[in-house]
Amino acid sequence: MTSIENISNPGIPKAPESLPAGYAKIKPEFVVLRPHIADPSGVEEPANDTGNEQSSFKDLDPALNSGADEPPKKKLRLSGAEKKKLAREEGKKKRGMNTNRKFALMKDDVQLCWKAAVGEQCPLQEKCYYSHEVSKYLETKPRDIHFPSPSALSSDPPFVLSSGSKSDGLGINSIDPTASCPVYLRTGVCPQGFKCRFLGNHIKRDDDSIDEPGWKLIMDESLAAGAKEDCEGNNIGISVIKQVRTRKYPTPLADRYIAETQQDKEVQDSHDMSVDMNINTTRPGTLPEMAINQLPEECQKETPDVPMRPQEKKRLHWKGLLYLAPLTTVGNLPFRRLCVDYGAQITCSEMAVATSLLSGSREEWSLVRRLPSERAFGIQVAGSKIAPLTQIAEIFRSEFGLGAEGRGTGVDFVDVNCGCPIDLVFKSGAGSARLCQS
């Protein structure tokens, strides 16, 4: 028997009288039918013509089709660590969703050996994995990049005048003799060699070769000599960094100073302990007699006052000079170069952590480089203990020496950071934390 509601609304099914636990009865006028979505495979499911009210109600809620007879599963309780781990895994799944990006490794058709690329003889010879045939590499090399001169630019289309034929007169289309290598024009030699994308500026035929006409790189000795004088100073070699990292670099002055400091500290601690014991054994309100006699004999010896040497009395004469304060992540080489051009007379490097320098961090060692135009240059070091600070100061003195105006190398002074408020630096005992140390 059909109800009146189903006659007036034939498209709305009647709610069944018996429902699973947890489901409430809904009036037919409040039932919302979901739109039918066609199957992308093109196979349509047969319509439900059985007239079963329970099955038509299940079509409205897919939760009923997943097994209403089964009891609901209990929600797992996760600990804080498990929740964080689950969140990290979900975050990793969401990373890199743009799969259309291409990160293909660009390789040359002929992979030239780096020794052959700079015109040197490869020590591995036939055992080398890469090719040593320069002519074959130049045949497959992409054409040089050409930057038009200002005279070739125009305000009318095509805005850049054609440079003429691509024929280079050298027999290989990859070489453009009109190209200009900025590194070669600056330093007189290009470290990329035959792999440079501006190769036409520093290559020529080598007619003196024994087998077949080869190629030769051009080097301008006058530009190279001028660039050597104008390059940055305070460069440190890889072998020295390895010695510092493995603690094989000799620092006799620092070691002796650290040993004396440790000995003085032990003597002072033993003296404080003996005085405390004497105070605790006396009557309340009295002091131990002749407490001065409890000092070790070494402390009671009378020694003549040694006058300070002139080197120890050296003072920095900064009166009336313009000082550029050390700026972390800002005071790099290009910034200091501009400041020197605008009148800065005393400059300082970015903050370098002493422990990172001693661990051989090449990124940290790059902060101590100096420009030839810097008249007075200092290195700022951050550290919490005496040992690494004294050791790194002696390494500066041994490797760089004292600063000399016009030489472009050396260190004029070492600045100990006592004001950095960064939490990472403060919690390590360096920076502004040193103001709290006695």
Side-chain angles (χ1 to χ4, degrees):
M1 184 173 181
T2 308
S3 62
I4 300 176
E5 289 84 358
N6 286 353
I7 295 176
S8 59
N9 299 312
I12 301 177
K14 181 182 177 182
E17 297 181 358
S18 60
L19 292 175
Y23 285 84
K25 293 183 179 181
I26 304 175
K27 292 184 178 181
E29 57 266 25
F30 298 109
V31 176
V32 179
L33 294 177
R34 297 183 179 179
H36 177 69
I37 301 175
D39 190 357
S41 60
V43 180
E44 295 287 344
E45 295 182 357
N48 187 7
D49 298 334
T50 58
N52 188 354
E53 298 176 352
Q54 181 71 19
S55 62
S56 61
F57 190 79
K58 287 183 178 180
D59 294 338
L60 299 177
D61 193 349
L64 297 176
N65 296 326
S66 60
D69 298 336
E70 299 179 0
K73 295 181 179 180
K74 294 183 179 180
K75 188 176 181 180
L76 297 177
R77 294 184 179 180
L78 302 177
S79 62
E82 292 175 344
K83 290 180 180 179
K84 291 181 179 179
K85 183 178 179 181
L86 184 61
R88 285 196 299 267
E89 293 177 354
E90 292 179 355
K92 290 180 180 179
K93 292 180 181 178
K94 294 180 181 179
R95 294 177 186 172
M97 298 303 291
N98 185 8
T99 57
N100 295 327
R101 294 181 297 173
K102 296 181 180 179
F103 298 98
L105 180 62
M106 302 300 294
K107 292 184 177 180
D108 298 326
D109 296 337
V110 177
Q111 298 186 26
L112 187 65
C113 175
W114 271 108
K115 287 290 184 180
V118 295
E120 298 179 2
Q121 192 73 16
C122 181
L124 299 178
Q125 297 295 332
E126 298 178 356
K127 296 182 180 180
C128 183
Y129 177 77
Y130 301 98
S131 174
H132 299 90
E133 299 180 5
V134 178
S135 300
K136 186 179 294 185
Y137 169 76
L138 294 179
E139 292 176 357
T140 59
K141 179 179 176 290
R143 185 168 176 81
D144 292 343
I145 300 174
H146 173 74
F147 287 102
S149 61
S151 60
L153 300 179
S154 174
S155 58
D156 301 327
F159 306 107
V160 179
L161 301 180
S162 176
S163 60
S165 176
K166 291 186 178 181
S167 178
D168 51 15
L170 297 176
I172 295 182
N173 293 329
S174 63
I175 301 177
D176 185 4
T178 61
S180 59
C181 178
V183 179
Y184 172 76
L185 296 177
R186 172 73 176 176
T187 62
V189 60
C190 180
Q192 300 298 323
F194 293 107
K195 292 188 176 184
C196 179
R197 293 303 306 274
F198 311 98
L199 181 60
N201 193 198
H202 48 81
I203 189 175
K204 66 177 182 179
R205 286 277 188 179
D206 186 12
D207 299 331
D208 299 334
S209 58
I210 300 175
D211 299 333
E212 59 181 6
W215 300 94
K216 187 177 181 180
L217 295 172
I218 303 174
M219 177 180 177
D220 194 333
E221 296 181 357
S222 59
L223 289 176
K228 189 175 182 180
E229 296 177 357
D230 195 31
C231 63
E232 295 87 0
N234 293 353
N235 295 309
I236 191 167
I238 300 177
S239 59
V240 178
I241 292 179
K242 184 177 179 181
Q243 289 182 353
V244 174
R245 185 180 69 250
T246 56
R247 299 188 179 185
K248 295 181 180 179
Y249 192 93
T251 55
L253 295 178
D255 297 340
R256 188 171 60 184
Y257 178 78
I258 294 170
E260 291 178 359
T261 306
Q262 187 67 23
Q263 184 178 1
D264 295 343
K265 185 178 179 181
E266 293 177 356
V267 171
Q268 184 66 26
D269 292 344
S270 61
H271 166 60
D272 295 342
M273 186 179 298
S274 61
V275 171
D276 292 341
M277 293 177 62
N278 292 333
I279 293 176
N280 294 331
T281 55
T282 55
R283 297 190 307 272
T286 61
L287 292 176
E289 296 181 359
M290 303 298 293
I292 193 65
N293 295 331
Q294 301 297 330
L295 291 174
E297 295 181 358
E298 297 180 357
C299 298
Q300 300 183 33
K301 290 182 180 179
E302 294 184 0
T303 56
D305 295 336
V306 180
M308 296 182 65
R309 296 177 296 175
Q311 293 83 352
E312 297 176 348
K313 293 183 179 181
K314 187 176 180 180
R315 297 291 183 266
L316 297 175
H317 303 285
W318 290 357
K319 186 177 182 180
L321 300 179
L322 188 60
Y323 175 66
L324 176 65
L327 303 170
T328 303
T329 69
V330 177
N332 47 26
L333 285 175
F335 179 79
R336 298 204 307 268
R337 187 193 300 271
L338 291 174
C339 292
V340 169
D341 294 341
Y342 281 101
Q345 298 169 316
I346 304 172
T347 55
C348 191
S349 70
E350 301 179 63
M351 180 186 69
V353 182
T355 54
S356 300
L357 293 171
L358 293 175
S359 63
S361 174
R362 300 185 65 179
E363 293 81 4
E364 208 76 13
W365 277 103
S366 65
L367 301 176
V368 303
R369 291 182 298 172
R370 176 181 183 174
L371 294 169
S373 58
E374 292 180 287
R375 176 181 172 185
F377 174 74
I379 299 176
Q380 188 185 66
V381 184
S384 59
K385 297 181 180 180
I386 297 177
L389 291 174
T390 53
Q391 290 174 356
I392 202 63
E394 185 174 358
I395 294 174
F396 289 160
R397 175 65 182 270
S398 302
E399 292 298 322
F400 307 144
L402 296 177
E405 185 176 354
R407 192 178 63 179
T409 58
V411 181
D412 295 283
F413 62 94
V414 175
D415 177 68
V416 179
N417 190 314
C418 296
C420 183
I422 300 176
D423 292 340
L424 183 62
V425 179
F426 180 83
K427 291 180 180 179
S428 64
S432 58
R434 293 197 58 86
L435 300 176
C436 303
Q437 300 176 3
S438 57

Short mmCIF file of all heavy atoms in Angstrom, two decimals, residues 205-251:
data_model
loop_
_atom_site.label_atom_id
_atom_site.label_comp_id
_atom_site.label_asym_id
_atom_site.label_seq_id
_atom_site.Cartn_x
_atom_site.Cartn_y
_atom_site.Cartn_z
N ARG A 205 92.93 28.67 -32.89
CA ARG A 205 93.47 27.46 -33.48
C ARG A 205 94.92 27.25 -33.02
O ARG A 205 95.69 28.19 -32.88
CB ARG A 205 93.44 27.56 -35.00
CG ARG A 205 92.05 27.41 -35.61
CD ARG A 205 91.69 25.96 -35.74
NE ARG A 205 90.44 25.79 -36.50
CZ ARG A 205 89.92 24.61 -36.78
NH1 ARG A 205 90.50 23.51 -36.35
NH2 ARG A 205 88.79 24.53 -37.45
N ASP A 206 95.24 25.99 -32.77
CA ASP A 206 96.60 25.62 -32.39
C ASP A 206 97.23 24.90 -33.58
O ASP A 206 97.04 23.69 -33.78
CB ASP A 206 96.59 24.72 -31.15
CG ASP A 206 97.99 24.43 -30.64
OD1 ASP A 206 98.93 25.10 -31.11
OD2 ASP A 206 98.13 23.54 -29.78
N ASP A 207 97.94 25.65 -34.38
CA ASP A 207 98.57 25.07 -35.57
C ASP A 207 99.86 24.34 -35.25
O ASP A 207 100.44 23.68 -36.13
CB ASP A 207 98.86 26.17 -36.59
CG ASP A 207 97.57 26.86 -37.04
OD1 ASP A 207 96.53 26.19 -37.03
OD2 ASP A 207 97.62 28.07 -37.38
N ASP A 208 100.34 24.45 -34.01
CA ASP A 208 101.61 23.80 -33.65
C ASP A 208 101.42 22.39 -33.15
O ASP A 208 102.40 21.74 -32.75
CB ASP A 208 102.32 24.62 -32.56
CG ASP A 208 102.65 26.02 -33.03
OD1 ASP A 208 102.79 26.20 -34.26
OD2 ASP A 208 102.76 26.93 -32.18
N SER A 209 100.17 21.89 -33.14
CA SER A 209 99.93 20.54 -32.64
C SER A 209 100.53 19.52 -33.60
O SER A 209 100.63 19.73 -34.82
CB SER A 209 98.43 20.29 -32.48
OG SER A 209 97.77 20.49 -33.72
N ILE A 210 100.92 18.38 -33.08
CA ILE A 210 101.65 17.38 -33.87
C ILE A 210 100.71 16.63 -34.80
O ILE A 210 100.95 16.52 -36.00
CB ILE A 210 102.38 16.39 -32.93
CG1 ILE A 210 103.38 17.15 -32.05
CG2 ILE A 210 103.09 15.30 -33.72
CD1 ILE A 210 104.06 16.29 -31.02
N ASP A 211 99.61 16.10 -34.28
CA ASP A 211 98.74 15.24 -35.07
C ASP A 211 97.88 16.05 -36.04
O ASP A 211 98.09 16.07 -37.23
CB ASP A 211 97.87 14.39 -34.13
CG ASP A 211 98.73 13.50 -33.23
OD1 ASP A 211 99.85 13.17 -33.66
OD2 ASP A 211 98.28 13.18 -32.13
N GLU A 212 96.89 16.72 -35.52
CA GLU A 212 95.94 17.49 -36.33
C GLU A 212 95.77 18.85 -35.68
O GLU A 212 96.04 19.02 -34.50
CB GLU A 212 94.60 16.76 -36.42
CG GLU A 212 93.94 16.50 -35.09
CD GLU A 212 92.63 15.76 -35.23
OE1 GLU A 212 92.29 15.35 -36.35
OE2 GLU A 212 91.96 15.61 -34.20
N PRO A 213 95.33 19.84 -36.48
CA PRO A 213 95.12 21.17 -35.90
C PRO A 213 94.16 21.11 -34.73
O PRO A 213 93.02 20.64 -34.85
CB PRO A 213 94.57 21.99 -37.06
CG PRO A 213 95.04 21.26 -38.28
CD PRO A 213 95.08 19.82 -37.91
N GLY A 214 94.61 21.57 -33.59
CA GLY A 214 93.78 21.52 -32.39
C GLY A 214 93.33 22.90 -31.97
O GLY A 214 93.26 23.84 -32.78
N TRP A 215 93.00 23.01 -30.68
CA TRP A 215 92.49 24.26 -30.15
C TRP A 215 93.32 24.65 -28.93
O TRP A 215 93.85 23.80 -28.22
CB TRP A 215 91.02 24.11 -29.76
CG TRP A 215 90.15 23.72 -30.91
CD1 TRP A 215 89.77 22.47 -31.27
CD2 TRP A 215 89.58 24.61 -31.86
NE1 TRP A 215 88.98 22.50 -32.38
CE2 TRP A 215 88.83 23.82 -32.77
CE3 TRP A 215 89.59 25.99 -32.05
CZ2 TRP A 215 88.13 24.36 -33.84
CZ3 TRP A 215 88.88 26.52 -33.11
CH2 TRP A 215 88.17 25.73 -33.99
N LYS A 216 93.39 25.94 -28.71
CA LYS A 216 94.20 26.47 -27.62
C LYS A 216 93.45 27.59 -26.93
O LYS A 216 92.81 28.42 -27.59
CB LYS A 216 95.54 26.98 -28.16
CG LYS A 216 96.53 27.40 -27.10
CD LYS A 216 97.85 27.81 -27.71
CE LYS A 216 98.86 28.22 -26.65
NZ LYS A 216 100.15 28.63 -27.27
N LEU A 217 93.53 27.60 -25.62
CA LEU A 217 92.89 28.65 -24.83
C LEU A 217 93.81 29.87 -24.74
O LEU A 217 95.03 29.73 -24.62
CB LEU A 217 92.56 28.14 -23.42
CG LEU A 217 91.53 27.01 -23.33
CD1 LEU A 217 91.45 26.47 -21.91
CD2 LEU A 217 90.15 27.50 -23.78
N ILE A 218 93.20 31.03 -24.78
CA ILE A 218 93.95 32.28 -24.73
C ILE A 218 94.00 32.76 -23.28
O ILE A 218 93.01 32.70 -22.55
CB ILE A 218 93.30 33.35 -25.62
CG1 ILE A 218 93.20 32.84 -27.06
CG2 ILE A 218 94.08 34.65 -25.57
CD1 ILE A 218 92.45 33.78 -27.98
N MET A 219 95.16 33.25 -22.88
CA MET A 219 95.34 33.80 -21.54
C MET A 219 96.01 35.16 -21.64
O MET A 219 97.05 35.30 -22.29
CB MET A 219 96.18 32.86 -20.67
CG MET A 219 96.47 33.39 -19.28
SD MET A 219 97.45 32.23 -18.29
CE MET A 219 97.68 33.16 -16.80
N ASP A 220 95.42 36.16 -21.03
CA ASP A 220 95.97 37.51 -21.01
C ASP A 220 96.75 37.69 -19.71
O ASP A 220 96.17 37.81 -18.62
CB ASP A 220 94.85 38.54 -21.11
CG ASP A 220 95.36 39.93 -21.44
OD1 ASP A 220 96.53 40.22 -21.09
OD2 ASP A 220 94.61 40.73 -22.02
N GLU A 221 98.08 37.67 -19.81
CA GLU A 221 98.91 37.72 -18.60
C GLU A 221 98.83 39.07 -17.90
O GLU A 221 98.91 39.13 -16.67
CB GLU A 221 100.37 37.42 -18.98
CG GLU A 221 100.57 36.01 -19.52
CD GLU A 221 102.02 35.73 -19.86
OE1 GLU A 221 102.84 36.68 -19.71
OE2 GLU A 221 102.34 34.59 -20.25
N SER A 222 98.66 40.14 -18.65
CA SER A 222 98.56 41.45 -18.01
C SER A 222 97.29 41.56 -17.17
O SER A 222 97.33 42.05 -16.03
CB SER A 222 98.58 42.55 -19.08
OG SER A 222 97.50 42.39 -19.99
N LEU A 223 96.17 41.08 -17.72
CA LEU A 223 94.93 41.09 -16.93
C LEU A 223 95.03 40.14 -15.74
O LEU A 223 94.51 40.43 -14.66
CB LEU A 223 93.74 40.72 -17.81
CG LEU A 223 93.30 41.74 -18.86
CD1 LEU A 223 92.18 41.16 -19.71
CD2 LEU A 223 92.84 43.03 -18.19
N ALA A 224 95.68 39.00 -15.93
CA ALA A 224 95.81 38.02 -14.84
C ALA A 224 96.64 38.58 -13.70
O ALA A 224 96.33 38.36 -12.52
CB ALA A 224 96.42 36.73 -15.36
N ALA A 225 97.71 39.33 -14.03
CA ALA A 225 98.54 39.92 -12.97
C ALA A 225 97.76 40.98 -12.19
O ALA A 225 97.84 41.06 -10.96
CB ALA A 225 99.80 40.52 -13.58
N GLY A 226 96.99 41.80 -12.91
CA GLY A 226 96.20 42.81 -12.22
C GLY A 226 95.09 42.21 -11.39
O GLY A 226 94.78 42.69 -10.30
N ALA A 227 94.47 41.12 -11.88
CA ALA A 227 93.40 40.47 -11.12
C ALA A 227 93.94 39.77 -9.88
O ALA A 227 93.25 39.69 -8.86
CB ALA A 227 92.67 39.46 -12.01
N LYS A 228 95.19 39.29 -9.95
CA LYS A 228 95.77 38.63 -8.78
C LYS A 228 95.98 39.62 -7.65
O LYS A 228 95.83 39.27 -6.47
CB LYS A 228 97.09 37.98 -9.18
CG LYS A 228 97.67 37.08 -8.11
CD LYS A 228 98.91 36.36 -8.62
CE LYS A 228 99.47 35.43 -7.56
NZ LYS A 228 100.69 34.72 -8.04
N GLU A 229 96.34 40.85 -7.98
CA GLU A 229 96.51 41.85 -6.95
C GLU A 229 95.18 42.35 -6.40
O GLU A 229 95.12 42.84 -5.28
CB GLU A 229 97.31 43.03 -7.52
CG GLU A 229 98.73 42.66 -7.94
CD GLU A 229 99.45 43.84 -8.56
OE1 GLU A 229 98.80 44.91 -8.71
OE2 GLU A 229 100.65 43.70 -8.89
N ASP A 230 94.12 42.23 -7.21
CA ASP A 230 92.82 42.76 -6.81
C ASP A 230 91.90 41.69 -6.22
O ASP A 230 90.74 41.97 -5.92
CB ASP A 230 92.14 43.41 -8.02
CG ASP A 230 90.97 44.28 -7.61
OD1 ASP A 230 91.01 44.85 -6.50
OD2 ASP A 230 89.99 44.38 -8.38
N CYS A 231 92.38 40.46 -6.06
CA CYS A 231 91.51 39.40 -5.54
C CYS A 231 91.43 39.47 -4.02
O CYS A 231 92.23 40.13 -3.36
CB CYS A 231 92.03 38.04 -5.98
SG CYS A 231 93.66 37.63 -5.33
N GLU A 232 90.46 38.76 -3.48
CA GLU A 232 90.25 38.78 -2.04
C GLU A 232 91.38 38.06 -1.32
O GLU A 232 91.97 37.11 -1.83
CB GLU A 232 88.91 38.11 -1.68
CG GLU A 232 87.69 38.84 -2.19
CD GLU A 232 87.32 38.44 -3.59
OE1 GLU A 232 88.03 37.59 -4.16
OE2 GLU A 232 86.34 38.99 -4.14
N GLY A 233 91.67 38.56 -0.12
CA GLY A 233 92.70 37.95 0.70
C GLY A 233 92.11 37.11 1.82
O GLY A 233 90.90 36.90 1.90
N ASN A 234 92.98 36.60 2.67
CA ASN A 234 92.60 35.74 3.80
C ASN A 234 91.93 34.45 3.32
O ASN A 234 90.99 33.96 3.95
CB ASN A 234 91.69 36.48 4.78
CG ASN A 234 92.40 37.61 5.48
OD1 ASN A 234 93.60 37.78 5.36
ND2 ASN A 234 91.65 38.40 6.24
N ASN A 235 92.41 33.93 2.20
CA ASN A 235 91.92 32.63 1.73
C ASN A 235 92.74 31.53 2.41
O ASN A 235 93.96 31.65 2.55
CB ASN A 235 92.03 32.53 0.21
CG ASN A 235 91.13 33.50 -0.51
OD1 ASN A 235 89.94 33.58 -0.23
ND2 ASN A 235 91.69 34.27 -1.43
N ILE A 236 92.08 30.48 2.78
CA ILE A 236 92.72 29.37 3.47
C ILE A 236 92.55 28.11 2.66
O ILE A 236 91.50 27.88 2.04
CB ILE A 236 92.14 29.19 4.89
CG1 ILE A 236 92.98 28.22 5.71
CG2 ILE A 236 90.69 28.79 4.86
CD1 ILE A 236 92.66 28.23 7.19
N GLY A 237 93.60 27.31 2.57
CA GLY A 237 93.58 26.12 1.75
C GLY A 237 92.83 24.96 2.39
O GLY A 237 92.56 24.94 3.60
N ILE A 238 92.49 23.99 1.54
CA ILE A 238 91.75 22.82 2.02
C ILE A 238 92.61 21.99 2.97
O ILE A 238 92.12 21.42 3.95
CB ILE A 238 91.27 21.98 0.83
CG1 ILE A 238 90.35 22.80 -0.07
CG2 ILE A 238 90.56 20.72 1.30
CD1 ILE A 238 89.89 22.07 -1.31
N SER A 239 93.92 21.91 2.69
CA SER A 239 94.80 21.12 3.56
C SER A 239 94.87 21.72 4.96
O SER A 239 94.90 20.99 5.96
CB SER A 239 96.20 21.06 2.95
OG SER A 239 96.74 22.36 2.78
N VAL A 240 94.87 23.07 5.05
CA VAL A 240 94.89 23.70 6.36
C VAL A 240 93.57 23.47 7.09
O VAL A 240 93.55 23.20 8.31
CB VAL A 240 95.18 25.21 6.21
CG1 VAL A 240 95.15 25.91 7.57
CG2 VAL A 240 96.50 25.44 5.52
N ILE A 241 92.46 23.54 6.38
CA ILE A 241 91.16 23.28 7.00
C ILE A 241 91.10 21.85 7.53
O ILE A 241 90.54 21.59 8.60
CB ILE A 241 90.03 23.55 5.99
CG1 ILE A 241 89.97 25.06 5.67
CG2 ILE A 241 88.69 23.08 6.53
CD1 ILE A 241 88.90 25.42 4.66
N LYS A 242 91.69 20.92 6.80
CA LYS A 242 91.70 19.53 7.25
C LYS A 242 92.52 19.38 8.52
O LYS A 242 92.14 18.65 9.45
CB LYS A 242 92.25 18.63 6.15
CG LYS A 242 92.20 17.16 6.48
CD LYS A 242 92.69 16.32 5.32
CE LYS A 242 92.66 14.84 5.67
NZ LYS A 242 93.16 14.00 4.54
N GLN A 243 93.66 20.07 8.60
CA GLN A 243 94.46 20.01 9.82
C GLN A 243 93.72 20.62 11.01
O GLN A 243 93.80 20.09 12.13
CB GLN A 243 95.78 20.75 9.60
CG GLN A 243 96.75 20.04 8.68
CD GLN A 243 98.06 20.79 8.54
OE1 GLN A 243 98.20 21.91 9.02
NE2 GLN A 243 99.03 20.17 7.89
N VAL A 244 93.00 21.70 10.76
CA VAL A 244 92.24 22.33 11.85
C VAL A 244 91.11 21.41 12.30
O VAL A 244 90.86 21.26 13.50
CB VAL A 244 91.70 23.70 11.39
CG1 VAL A 244 90.79 24.29 12.45
CG2 VAL A 244 92.85 24.66 11.10
N ARG A 245 90.44 20.78 11.35
CA ARG A 245 89.32 19.91 11.70
C ARG A 245 89.78 18.68 12.46
O ARG A 245 89.11 18.23 13.40
CB ARG A 245 88.57 19.49 10.42
CG ARG A 245 87.31 18.68 10.70
CD ARG A 245 86.60 18.28 9.43
NE ARG A 245 87.35 17.30 8.66
CZ ARG A 245 87.95 17.55 7.51
NH1 ARG A 245 87.91 18.76 6.99
NH2 ARG A 245 88.60 16.60 6.86
N THR A 246 90.90 18.11 12.08
CA THR A 246 91.42 16.92 12.76
C THR A 246 92.28 17.26 13.98
O THR A 246 92.90 16.36 14.56
CB THR A 246 92.24 16.08 11.77
OG1 THR A 246 93.28 16.90 11.20
CG2 THR A 246 91.34 15.56 10.65
N ARG A 247 92.36 18.54 14.34
CA ARG A 247 93.12 19.01 15.50
C ARG A 247 94.60 18.66 15.41
O ARG A 247 95.25 18.33 16.41
CB ARG A 247 92.51 18.44 16.79
CG ARG A 247 91.07 18.87 17.02
CD ARG A 247 90.57 18.47 18.37
NE ARG A 247 89.19 18.93 18.56
CZ ARG A 247 88.51 18.80 19.70
NH1 ARG A 247 89.10 18.23 20.75
NH2 ARG A 247 87.27 19.24 19.79
N LYS A 248 95.14 18.74 14.20
CA LYS A 248 96.56 18.53 13.99
C LYS A 248 97.28 19.83 13.70
O LYS A 248 98.50 19.82 13.48
CB LYS A 248 96.77 17.55 12.82
CG LYS A 248 96.24 16.14 13.10
CD LYS A 248 96.50 15.23 11.92
CE LYS A 248 95.98 13.81 12.20
NZ LYS A 248 96.20 12.91 11.03
N TYR A 249 96.57 20.94 13.68
CA TYR A 249 97.20 22.23 13.44
C TYR A 249 97.88 22.69 14.74
O TYR A 249 97.24 22.75 15.80
CB TYR A 249 96.16 23.26 13.01
CG TYR A 249 96.77 24.54 12.47
CD1 TYR A 249 96.98 24.69 11.11
CD2 TYR A 249 97.14 25.58 13.31
CE1 TYR A 249 97.54 25.85 10.59
CE2 TYR A 249 97.69 26.74 12.82
CZ TYR A 249 97.90 26.87 11.46
OH TYR A 249 98.45 28.02 10.96
N PRO A 250 99.16 23.01 14.70
CA PRO A 250 99.86 23.38 15.95
C PRO A 250 99.46 24.77 16.44
O PRO A 250 99.48 25.75 15.68
CB PRO A 250 101.34 23.34 15.53
CG PRO A 250 101.32 23.62 14.05
CD PRO A 250 100.06 23.02 13.53
N THR A 251 99.10 24.84 17.70
CA THR A 251 98.79 26.12 18.36
C THR A 251 99.52 26.16 19.71
O THR A 251 98.89 26.03 20.76
CB THR A 251 97.27 26.28 18.55
OG1 THR A 251 96.77 25.13 19.26
CG2 THR A 251 96.55 26.41 17.23
#
